[in-house]
Amino acid sequence: MTFHHSAPTAPPARAAWLAVLAHAPRELLKRHVESLPVLHFEVLRAPEIGLAMLRGRIGNKGDRFNVGEATITRCVVRHRDADTASVGIGYVLGRDPERVDWIARLDALLQHPRWHDALQADVIAPLAAESARLRASEQRETATSRVHFFNLQTEVSS
């Protein structure tokens, strides 16, 4: 049995599709998952909710400091077929066990050569396009209320 860690792609590609899945609108992600054929997955780590420390930097370059904690949900599953197996992970901010399970299943399938190209075209590309559209819409909306501050010099009396 061949075990695929991140085949057929390099880790940066996997990180990219995991980011797309984590940021995808929940309902759209759900529709894509529901359209997949029923496959067997072994749960290695059931969805669990925990905390992660958020860190920042002073002035974006200086010393690190703890900003606070954020709730995250994570899950790990394995998909096996006749000659291959792949492990998928899912992480999201907030409490959403169902969503991380979907992400982990898609991640496992995306690592499998049989599923990779079809899922890239039918799931990842549309989710990335929709996320980009929503982000651009939010940026346009916030740009209308942006306030620009300029340094004004005080007048010197003679």
Side-chain angles (χ1 to χ4, degrees):
M1 176 178 281
T2 305
F3 192 79
H4 293 284
H5 291 283
S6 61
T9 57
R14 184 174 182 208
W17 78 56
L18 282 169
V20 168
L21 293 170
H23 292 101
R26 188 180 200 285
E27 289 305 313
L28 190 56
L29 182 62
K30 181 180 181 180
R31 272 188 268 146
H32 283 290
V33 171
E34 289 174 344
S35 70
L36 293 174
V38 177
L39 299 169
H40 175 71
F41 291 89
E42 177 186 354
V43 176
L44 300 178
R45 175 169 283 164
E48 57 187 3
I49 298 168
L51 293 173
M53 180 60 68
L54 302 178
R55 302 192 78 194
R57 286 188 177 269
I58 296 172
N60 209 23
K61 295 178 185 171
D63 293 336
R64 292 182 178 175
F65 65 96
N66 294 338
V67 176
E69 294 176 330
T71 305
I72 60 168
T73 309
R74 69 179 179 177
C75 177
V76 182
V77 300
R78 178 179 13 224
H79 176 265
R80 293 179 193 231
D81 64 11
D83 60 344
T84 61
S86 56
V87 174
I89 60 170
Y91 279 85
V92 293
L93 279 173
R95 299 170 176 259
D96 199 341
E98 191 175 38
R99 186 174 181 181
V100 294
D101 183 60
W102 300 334
I103 292 170
R105 289 169 187 255
L106 285 166
D107 179 44
L109 292 176
L110 279 157
Q111 294 174 67
H112 194 287
R114 177 178 172 215
W115 294 94
H116 180 79
D117 293 339
L119 288 175
Q120 279 288 347
D122 298 340
V123 176
I124 300 301
L127 289 176
E130 180 61 14
S131 292
R133 187 192 68 76
L134 290 172
R135 200 169 28 258
S137 174
E138 289 170 359
Q139 288 174 346
R140 281 192 303 275
E141 188 176 320
T142 56
T144 62
S145 63
R146 176 174 269 159
V147 177
H148 297 281
F149 294 94
F150 299 99
N151 287 337
L152 298 176
Q153 285 212 312
T154 57
E155 292 183 28
V156 180
S157 3
S158 1

